[in-house]
Amino acid sequence: MHAAKNPFVLHEKHAPFSRLRSVPVRKENMMQDEPKKTLLHGWHTAHGANMADFGRYNMPLWYPAGAKQEHLAVLTAAGMFDTSHMAAVLVSGPQSFELLQRCFTRDLNACSGRGKSALTPGNCTYGAFLDENGFVIDDAIVYQLADQSYMVIVNAGMGGPIARHLEAQAGEQAPRILDLSDRLGKFDLQGPRAAAILMRVLENPGKVLDSMRYFTFKGCMDPNARISDAVRMSDSAPVLISRTGYTGEFGFEIFLELEHFIQTWERVLEAGKDFGLLPCGLAARDSLRTGAVLPLSHQDIGRWPFINHPWEFALPFVSRGAGFSKAFIGDQALLNIRSPEYTHAFVGHDLRKVSAHDPAAVLDAGGKKIGEVLTCVTDMGIGRCEDHIYSIASPDKPENFQPKGLSCGFVKTAIRLSPGQTVTLKDNRRKIEVVIVENIRPDRTARMPIHQMMDAGR
Amino acid sequence: MKEIDDLTIPDLRFAQDHEWAKLEDGRVRVGISDYAQDQLGDVVYVELPQAGETFEQGAVFGTVESVKAVSELYMPVGGRILAVNEKLEGAPELVNTDPYGDGWMIVVEPADLRQLDALMNSAQYLAVLKG
């Protein structure tokens, strides 16, 4: 997410078909640019992963099963992602609530659940940290651990910048701000079988998972946490288990101390084998999140105002266009934009893509350029059948439906487009026609009642 | 990712952009190397020219599309397209599973066979991959 153009570098160092370059690299630069490794790096390479640099970490793009099978596994069974390149920042002590309320786009007094109640311990919420211009510094999920105690999960490499931003905003009575980058293990278990798999590896799984709602969490990584709150793996490793994820599918993000990380990763993978659980890389993560209409920070949201996009639920609107329910950094800039731009999701008619980093332009019916392409990938789990889009997981999919894949992603345009409108995307190679939509991959499972998902494993 | 030693590099000619070229009765069959397919990952779509079209050496004759990226295919030798692999339309994964066999892409009537001799042999190509 920090590689400004293409985070997957296929077009640079590893590019087949781009002319091989022999640019001498100075050694001191190499040392400086040496990518970081997560604790699972050795596991990834030993299991045949294709690796690439992402957010200054050397991460798996896909394993031998391939990005397509990994993507489909998350829709139909389950997939597991090493996400310990993401960073956690702990904010605790007096003024923690006030600091986050001023810096984060969600109103912590009115963001939790459908009824928009206050965030309470055990709940988490998605939003963004903005600067005074209303531009995105990074997006985040804020977990309330206890009264005046929060864990903020940001993107790879952003622990430091967000911690410094919070410190700068905190003033004299600063809460304790602790950047836990590279000090926490995290993996995501995503897909309809995720609960069934966890039931095999958690201590007291029924108690832990029972009635666990979307965007809630239980447990704590800290082995000294109060016993009544503890969630443990069956080998007693303490974990924080969160019913969230970045795929649009049912599942969990699991946080734990580094010392338990590799063994827990391996135990969960083993436990899920006969459910079809696959380790998954960043390529599947990117295509899954795009199909779920979730933004990639610094690509779909970034150095421009955080408004007029599919993620306005992350802003504290009283009602649409009627101002905000709280004051926060960037709020005035968002309400006083002179030349607005609009971010829209789109879906294509077949799987062919344009390359967003070419860059690719958005053209209106008259061929006039009206914007740019932010993301364009193929969701291999969906396809069209008589002008209706089905997913491989759609309960009402036609008999013998085999998804051929559809291109999809996000565009940013100078004019507001409407769902159903057709635009043309053009890169250096081709033009494709796509339709502006509110939703891409249908029948996603992220919000499914957990008891149904637990029953599936019994 | 395959280790260099695990890659299949048959006795063919190779271009800098990882296409292979194989002489068959004065014609040249073209595809992409095992290294290239391994780097691209799952190939989900291959866009090929029409038979009869003519391209210079180094010109783009098509694209190969993985879940993540779209990449150009370059003519290892110039000439006229005699045949394209129609099977790839329904089964693009053949590029991954059999890059030197059923995953072939085009057959070219070469304009100048000396261009073929100027490409790398398998030992030279392996040396390039090893860097």
Side-chain angles (χ1 to χ4, degrees):
Chain A
M1 56 201 76
H2 301 286
K5 292 182 175 176
N6 176 14
F8 291 98
V9 289
L10 266 171
H11 290 258
E12 306 194 1
K13 194 166 73 188
H14 301 286
F17 318 114
S18 68
R19 304 283 165 181
L20 287 177
R21 298 174 198 118
S22 55
V23 182
V25 180
R26 283 164 55 191
K27 201 164 183 192
E28 59 267 37
N29 290 343
M30 279 180 69
M31 295 299 283
Q32 204 178 359
D33 293 333
E34 190 76 27
K36 292 202 212 179
K37 295 172 179 175
T38 73
L39 209 55
L40 281 172
H41 188 273
W43 191 95
H44 300 318
T45 54
H47 288 79
N50 271 50
M51 306 292 289
D53 294 344
F54 177 80
R56 297 200 201 105
Y57 286 77
N58 191 242
M59 297 297 289
L61 284 179
W62 54 76
Y63 299 86
K68 179 180 172 183
Q69 289 310 317
E70 293 170 20
H71 180 111
L72 297 180
V74 172
L75 302 187
T76 59
M80 223 163 115
F81 302 79
D82 174 14
T83 50
S84 46
H85 59 313
M86 295 179 74
V89 178
L90 293 182
V91 181
S92 58
Q95 301 294 316
S96 293
F97 169 85
E98 289 76 7
L99 177 64
L100 289 172
Q101 186 73 327
R102 192 162 73 251
C103 295
F104 196 54
T105 58
R106 294 303 282 263
D107 184 345
L108 301 180
N109 280 326
C111 63
S112 195
R114 285 171 199 248
K116 293 224 164 188
S117 52
L119 195 69
T120 50
N123 290 275
C124 52
T125 187
Y126 170 84
F129 292 99
L130 309 182
D131 65 15
E132 295 288 351
N133 298 312
F135 296 179
V136 174
I137 305 170
D138 202 16
D139 62 354
I141 294 182
V142 169
Y143 291 75
Q144 183 161 8
L145 304 174
D147 186 38
Q148 294 287 20
S149 175
Y150 300 88
M151 177 171 79
V152 181
I153 301 298
V154 294
N155 288 285
M158 291 307 291
I162 290 296
R164 287 193 291 278
H165 172 69
L166 291 173
E167 278 161 8
Q169 297 297 332
E172 303 235 321
Q173 289 181 316
R176 184 158 175 262
I177 296 166
L178 184 60
D179 173 15
L180 287 184
S181 294
D182 304 318
R183 288 157 66 185
L184 200 59
K186 174 176 180 289
F187 66 89
D188 297 4
L189 178 62
Q190 301 276 294
R193 296 296 204 165
I197 294 165
L198 278 188
M199 288 172 74
R200 293 180 172 183
V201 291
L202 282 176
E203 201 177 87
N204 290 323
K207 185 178 157 228
V208 173
L209 300 178
D210 184 42
S211 66
M212 192 174 181
R213 285 181 297 109
Y214 195 41
F215 272 81
T216 64
F217 67 95
K218 290 182 181 174
C220 180
M221 306 75 77
D222 184 352
N224 301 319
R226 282 175 295 142
I227 298 300
S228 62
D229 295 343
V231 175
R232 294 179 187 278
M233 306 299 293
S234 47
D235 66 353
S236 87
V239 294
L240 185 152
I241 165 172
S242 168
R243 212 191 129 185
T244 48
Y246 191 45
T247 63
E249 301 306 322
F250 176 83
F252 305 90
E253 295 182 88
I254 295 166
F255 301 80
L256 66 173
E257 292 204 313
L258 287 175
E259 63 175 299
H260 304 293
F261 189 42
I262 296 177
Q263 79 206 43
T264 304
W265 167 271
E266 288 183 327
R267 279 171 53 89
V268 176
L269 262 182
E270 183 63 32
K273 221 179 205 173
D274 56 326
F275 283 121
L277 173 63
L278 287 181
C280 299
L282 291 181
R285 190 165 162 83
D286 195 41
S287 51
L288 286 159
R289 68 93 190 168
T290 303
V293 198
L294 298 172
L296 176 60
S297 190
H298 307 119
Q299 181 167 307
D300 302 314
I301 55 177
R303 303 295 301 160
W304 63 88
F306 184 70
I307 196 166
N308 299 316
H309 53 51
W311 311 289
E312 288 198 341
F313 62 84
L315 287 168
F317 281 117
V318 175
S319 61
R320 190 164 181 179
F324 298 129
S325 61
K326 67 161 189 178
F328 61 98
I329 297 172
D331 58 351
Q332 290 310 307
L334 296 184
L335 294 174
N336 296 296
I337 293 172
R338 290 206 188 118
S339 21
E341 292 184 298
Y342 303 88
T343 303
H344 302 282
F346 69 84
V347 63
H349 294 283
D350 57 40
L351 57 70
R352 289 176 309 146
K353 296 182 280 291
V354 294
S355 293
H357 53 275
D358 253 5
V362 184
L363 310 178
D364 67 12
K368 187 180 148 220
K369 182 179 171 183
I370 54 168
E372 61 179 310
V373 180
L374 302 173
T375 286
C376 186
V377 300
T378 302
D379 186 328
M380 290 303 296
I382 57 177
R384 286 180 186 274
C385 195
E386 294 175 358
D387 221 36
H388 188 85
I389 296 176
Y390 295 94
S391 152
I392 191 169
S394 291
D396 60 342
K397 66 185 175 187
E399 211 174 323
N400 302 322
F401 172 76
Q402 287 296 329
K404 293 202 173 90
L406 295 174
S407 60
C408 56
F410 303 104
V411 293
K412 182 153 66 79
T413 57
I415 51 171
R416 193 189 284 278
L417 304 174
S418 310
Q421 202 170 337
T422 293
V423 292
T424 300
L425 310 184
K426 180 182 182 299
D427 69 3
N428 291 330
R429 314 184 172 83
R430 60 168 65 133
K431 286 182 182 177
I432 60 172
E433 280 201 347
V434 302
V435 183
I436 300 300
V437 291
E438 287 180 335
N439 196 17
I440 298 175
R441 188 174 67 246
D443 303 309
R444 298 194 300 269
T445 52
R447 295 167 186 274
M448 289 284 277
I450 197 162
H451 62 87
Q452 278 185 30
M453 302 316 233
M454 289 166 73
D455 289 347
R458 283 189 223 272
Chain B
M1 185 165 64
K2 290 188 181 180
E3 298 293 331
I4 298 286
D5 294 339
D6 296 335
L7 291 171
T8 306
I9 304 180
D11 187 17
L12 301 170
R13 292 286 170 171
F14 292 88
Q16 292 265 305
D17 305 297
H18 308 283
E19 291 86 7
W20 53 261
K22 180 185 181 191
L23 189 62
E24 296 175 347
D25 296 333
R27 298 166 169 188
V28 178
R29 190 178 295 265
V30 174
I32 65 170
S33 73
D34 191 21
Y35 171 81
Q37 71 76 23
D38 185 54
Q39 288 291 319
L40 282 170
D42 289 337
V43 171
V44 294
Y45 190 78
V46 184
E47 201 162 40
L48 294 174
Q50 304 274 327
E53 288 186 67
T54 301
F55 298 92
E56 302 273 311
Q57 184 182 33
V60 174
F61 70 86
T63 58
V64 59
E65 188 149 352
S66 67
V67 173
K68 269 311 299 168
V70 190
S71 302
E72 270 92 7
L73 298 161
Y74 298 98
M75 294 290 276
V77 296
R80 193 164 64 95
I81 308 293
L82 294 175
V84 300
N85 187 353
E86 309 282 355
K87 272 195 208 165
L88 296 183
E89 195 179 332
E93 66 275 9
L94 289 172
V95 175
N96 295 115
T97 55
D98 194 7
Y100 301 108
D102 286 347
W104 68 276
M105 291 171 174
I106 53 172
V107 175
V108 181
E109 182 177 47
D112 181 353
L113 264 181
R114 283 173 301 184
Q115 288 177 345
L116 189 70
D117 297 328
L119 298 175
M120 290 179 275
N121 63 30
S122 54
Q124 289 165 324
Y125 182 58
L126 180 63
V128 165
L129 294 183
K130 284 184 170 171

Coordinates of all heavy atoms in Angstrom, one line a residue, chain A residues 393-431:
Chain A
A393 N -20.5 -18.7 -4.6 CA -21.2 -19.0 -3.3 C -22.6 -18.6 -3.3 O -23.3 -18.7 -2.2 CB -20.4 -18.4 -2.2
S394 N -23.2 -18.1 -4.4 CA -24.6 -17.7 -4.4 C -25.5 -18.8 -4.2 O -25.4 -19.8 -5.0 CB -24.9 -17.0 -5.7 OG -24.2 -15.7 -5.8
P395 N -26.4 -18.8 -3.3 CA -27.4 -19.9 -3.1 C -28.3 -20.1 -4.3 O -28.7 -21.2 -4.6 CB -28.2 -19.5 -1.9 CG -27.6 -18.2 -1.3 CD -26.6 -17.7 -2.3
D396 N -28.5 -19.0 -5.0 CA -29.5 -19.1 -6.2 C -28.8 -19.1 -7.5 O -29.3 -18.8 -8.6 CB -30.4 -17.9 -6.2 CG -29.7 -16.6 -6.3 OD1 -28.4 -16.5 -6.0 OD2 -30.3 -15.6 -6.6
K397 N -27.5 -19.5 -7.5 CA -26.7 -19.5 -8.8 C -27.4 -20.6 -9.7 O -27.9 -21.6 -9.3 CB -25.3 -19.8 -8.5 CG -25.0 -21.2 -8.0 CD -23.5 -21.4 -7.7 CE -23.3 -22.8 -7.0 NZ -22.0 -23.0 -6.5
P398 N -27.3 -20.3 -11.0 CA -27.8 -21.2 -12.0 C -27.1 -22.6 -11.9 O -25.9 -22.6 -11.5 CB -27.6 -20.6 -13.3 CG -27.3 -19.2 -13.1 CD -26.7 -19.1 -11.7
E399 N -27.8 -23.6 -12.3 CA -27.2 -25.0 -12.3 C -26.0 -25.0 -13.2 O -25.9 -24.3 -14.2 CB -28.2 -26.0 -12.9 CG -28.1 -27.4 -12.3 CD -29.2 -28.3 -12.7 OE1 -30.3 -27.8 -12.9 OE2 -28.9 -29.4 -13.0
N400 N -24.9 -25.7 -12.8 CA -23.7 -25.8 -13.5 C -23.0 -24.4 -13.7 O -22.2 -24.2 -14.6 CB -23.9 -26.4 -14.9 CG -24.5 -27.8 -14.8 OD1 -24.1 -28.5 -13.9 ND2 -25.4 -28.1 -15.7
F401 N -23.3 -23.5 -12.8 CA -22.6 -22.1 -12.9 C -21.1 -22.3 -12.6 O -20.8 -22.8 -11.5 CB -23.3 -21.2 -12.0 CG -22.6 -19.8 -11.9 CD1 -22.7 -18.9 -12.9 CD2 -21.8 -19.5 -10.7 CE1 -22.0 -17.7 -12.8 CE2 -21.2 -18.3 -10.6 CZ -21.3 -17.4 -11.7
Q402 N -20.3 -21.9 -13.5 CA -18.9 -21.8 -13.3 C -18.4 -20.4 -13.5 O -18.5 -19.9 -14.6 CB -18.1 -22.7 -14.2 CG -18.2 -24.2 -14.0 CD -17.6 -24.6 -12.6 OE1 -16.7 -24.0 -12.2 NE2 -18.2 -25.6 -12.0
P403 N -18.0 -19.7 -12.4 CA -17.6 -18.3 -12.6 C -16.4 -18.1 -13.5 O -15.4 -18.9 -13.4 CB -17.3 -17.8 -11.2 CG -16.9 -19.1 -10.4 CD -17.7 -20.2 -11.0
K404 N -16.5 -17.2 -14.5 CA -15.4 -17.0 -15.4 C -14.5 -15.8 -14.9 O -13.5 -15.6 -15.4 CB -15.9 -16.7 -16.8 CG -16.6 -17.9 -17.4 CD -16.6 -17.7 -18.9 CE -17.2 -18.9 -19.7 NZ -18.6 -18.8 -19.9
G405 N -15.0 -15.1 -13.9 CA -14.3 -13.9 -13.4 C -14.7 -12.7 -14.0 O -15.1 -12.6 -15.2
L406 N -14.8 -11.6 -13.3 CA -15.1 -10.3 -13.8 C -14.1 -9.3 -13.3 O -13.7 -9.3 -12.1 CB -16.5 -9.8 -13.3 CG -17.7 -10.7 -13.9 CD1 -19.0 -10.2 -13.2 CD2 -17.8 -10.6 -15.4
S407 N -13.7 -8.3 -14.2 CA -12.8 -7.2 -13.7 C -13.7 -6.3 -12.8 O -14.9 -6.2 -13.0 CB -12.3 -6.5 -14.9 OG -13.3 -5.9 -15.6
C408 N -13.0 -5.7 -11.8 CA -13.7 -4.8 -10.9 C -12.7 -3.9 -10.2 O -11.5 -4.2 -10.3 CB -14.6 -5.6 -9.9 SG -13.6 -6.8 -8.9
G409 N -13.2 -2.9 -9.6 CA -12.3 -2.0 -8.9 C -13.0 -0.7 -8.6 O -14.2 -0.6 -8.4
F410 N -12.1 0.4 -8.5 CA -12.6 1.7 -8.2 C -12.0 2.7 -9.1 O -10.9 2.6 -9.6 CB -12.1 2.0 -6.8 CG -12.6 1.0 -5.7 CD1 -11.8 0.1 -5.2 CD2 -14.0 1.0 -5.4 CE1 -12.2 -0.9 -4.3 CE2 -14.4 0.1 -4.5 CZ -13.6 -0.9 -4.0
V411 N -12.9 3.7 -9.4 CA -12.5 4.9 -10.2 C -12.7 6.1 -9.4 O -13.6 6.2 -8.6 CB -13.2 4.9 -11.6 CG1 -12.9 3.8 -12.5 CG2 -14.7 5.0 -11.4
K412 N -11.9 7.2 -9.7 CA -12.2 8.5 -9.1 C -12.4 9.5 -10.3 O -11.6 9.6 -11.2 CB -11.0 8.9 -8.3 CG -11.1 10.2 -7.6 CD -10.3 10.3 -6.3 CE -8.8 10.3 -6.6 NZ -8.2 11.6 -7.1
T413 N -13.6 10.1 -10.2 CA -14.0 10.9 -11.4 C -14.3 12.4 -10.9 O -14.7 12.6 -9.8 CB -15.2 10.3 -12.1 OG1 -16.3 10.2 -11.1 CG2 -14.9 9.0 -12.6
A414 N -14.3 13.3 -11.9 CA -14.6 14.7 -11.6 C -16.1 14.9 -11.5 O -16.5 16.0 -11.1 CB -14.0 15.6 -12.6
I415 N -16.9 14.0 -12.0 CA -18.4 14.2 -11.9 C -19.0 13.0 -11.2 O -18.4 11.9 -11.2 CB -19.0 14.3 -13.3 CG1 -18.6 13.1 -14.2 CG2 -18.7 15.6 -14.0 CD1 -19.3 13.1 -15.5
R416 N -20.1 13.2 -10.6 CA -20.8 12.1 -9.9 C -21.4 11.2 -10.9 O -22.2 11.6 -11.7 CB -21.8 12.6 -8.9 CG -22.3 11.6 -7.9 CD -23.5 12.1 -7.1 NE -23.1 13.0 -6.0 CZ -22.6 12.7 -4.8 NH1 -22.5 11.4 -4.5 NH2 -22.4 13.6 -3.9
L417 N -21.1 9.9 -10.8 CA -21.8 8.9 -11.7 C -22.9 8.2 -10.9 O -22.9 8.2 -9.7 CB -20.7 7.9 -12.2 CG -19.5 8.5 -12.9 CD1 -18.4 7.5 -13.2 CD2 -19.9 9.3 -14.2
S418 N -23.8 7.5 -11.7 CA -24.9 6.8 -11.0 C -24.7 5.3 -11.2 O -24.2 4.9 -12.3 CB -26.2 7.2 -11.7 OG -26.3 8.6 -11.7
P419 N -25.2 4.5 -10.3 CA -25.2 3.1 -10.5 C -25.9 2.7 -11.8 O -26.9 3.3 -12.1 CB -25.9 2.6 -9.3 CG -25.8 3.6 -8.2 CD -25.7 4.9 -9.0
G420 N -25.3 1.8 -12.5 CA -25.9 1.4 -13.8 C -25.3 2.1 -15.0 O -25.4 1.7 -16.1
Q421 N -24.6 3.3 -14.7 CA -24.0 4.0 -15.8 C -22.8 3.3 -16.3 O -22.0 2.7 -15.6 CB -23.6 5.4 -15.2 CG -23.4 6.5 -16.3 CD -23.2 7.8 -15.6 OE1 -23.6 8.0 -14.4 NE2 -22.6 8.7 -16.3
T422 N -22.6 3.3 -17.7 CA -21.4 2.7 -18.3 C -20.4 3.7 -18.6 O -20.7 4.8 -19.1 CB -21.9 2.0 -19.6 OG1 -22.8 0.9 -19.3 CG2 -20.7 1.4 -20.4
V423 N -19.1 3.4 -18.3 CA -18.0 4.2 -18.6 C -16.9 3.3 -19.3 O -17.0 2.1 -19.2 CB -17.3 5.0 -17.4 CG1 -18.3 6.0 -16.9 CG2 -16.9 4.0 -16.3
T424 N -16.0 3.9 -19.9 CA -14.9 3.2 -20.6 C -13.6 3.4 -19.8 O -13.3 4.6 -19.4 CB -14.7 3.7 -22.0 OG1 -15.9 3.4 -22.7 CG2 -13.6 2.9 -22.7
L425 N -12.9 2.4 -19.6 CA -11.5 2.5 -18.9 C -10.5 2.2 -20.0 O -10.6 1.3 -20.8 CB -11.4 1.4 -17.8 CG -12.5 1.4 -16.8 CD1 -12.1 0.4 -15.7 CD2 -12.8 2.7 -16.2
K426 N -9.5 3.0 -20.1 CA -8.5 2.9 -21.1 C -7.1 3.0 -20.6 O -6.8 4.0 -19.8 CB -8.7 4.1 -22.1 CG -7.8 4.1 -23.3 CD -8.0 5.3 -24.2 CE -7.1 5.3 -25.4 NZ -5.7 5.4 -25.0
D427 N -6.3 2.0 -20.9 CA -4.9 2.1 -20.5 C -4.1 2.1 -21.8 O -4.6 2.3 -22.9 CB -4.5 1.0 -19.5 CG -4.5 -0.4 -20.1 OD1 -4.8 -0.6 -21.4 OD2 -4.2 -1.4 -19.4
N428 N -2.8 1.8 -21.7 CA -2.0 1.8 -22.9 C -2.3 0.7 -23.9 O -1.8 0.7 -25.1 CB -0.5 1.8 -22.6 CG -0.1 3.1 -21.9 OD1 -0.7 4.1 -22.2 ND2 0.9 3.0 -21.0
R429 N -3.0 -0.4 -23.4 CA -3.2 -1.5 -24.3 C -4.6 -1.6 -24.8 O -4.8 -2.0 -26.0 CB -3.0 -2.8 -23.6 CG -1.9 -3.0 -22.7 CD -1.8 -4.4 -22.1 NE -0.6 -4.5 -21.5 CZ -0.4 -4.1 -20.2 NH1 -1.4 -3.5 -19.6 NH2 0.8 -4.2 -19.7
R430 N -5.6 -1.3 -24.0 CA -7.0 -1.6 -24.4 C -8.0 -0.7 -23.7 O -7.6 0.1 -22.9 CB -7.3 -3.1 -24.0 CG -7.1 -3.3 -22.5 CD -7.7 -4.7 -22.0 NE -7.0 -5.8 -22.5 CZ -6.6 -6.9 -21.8 NH1 -6.9 -6.9 -20.5 NH2 -6.0 -7.9 -22.4
K431 N -9.2 -0.8 -24.3 CA -10.3 -0.1 -23.6 C -11.3 -1.2 -23.2 O -11.5 -2.2 -23.9 CB -11.0 0.7 -24.7 CG -10.3 2.0 -25.0 CD -11.2 2.8 -26.0 CE -10.5 4.0 -26.5 NZ -11.4 4.7 -27.5

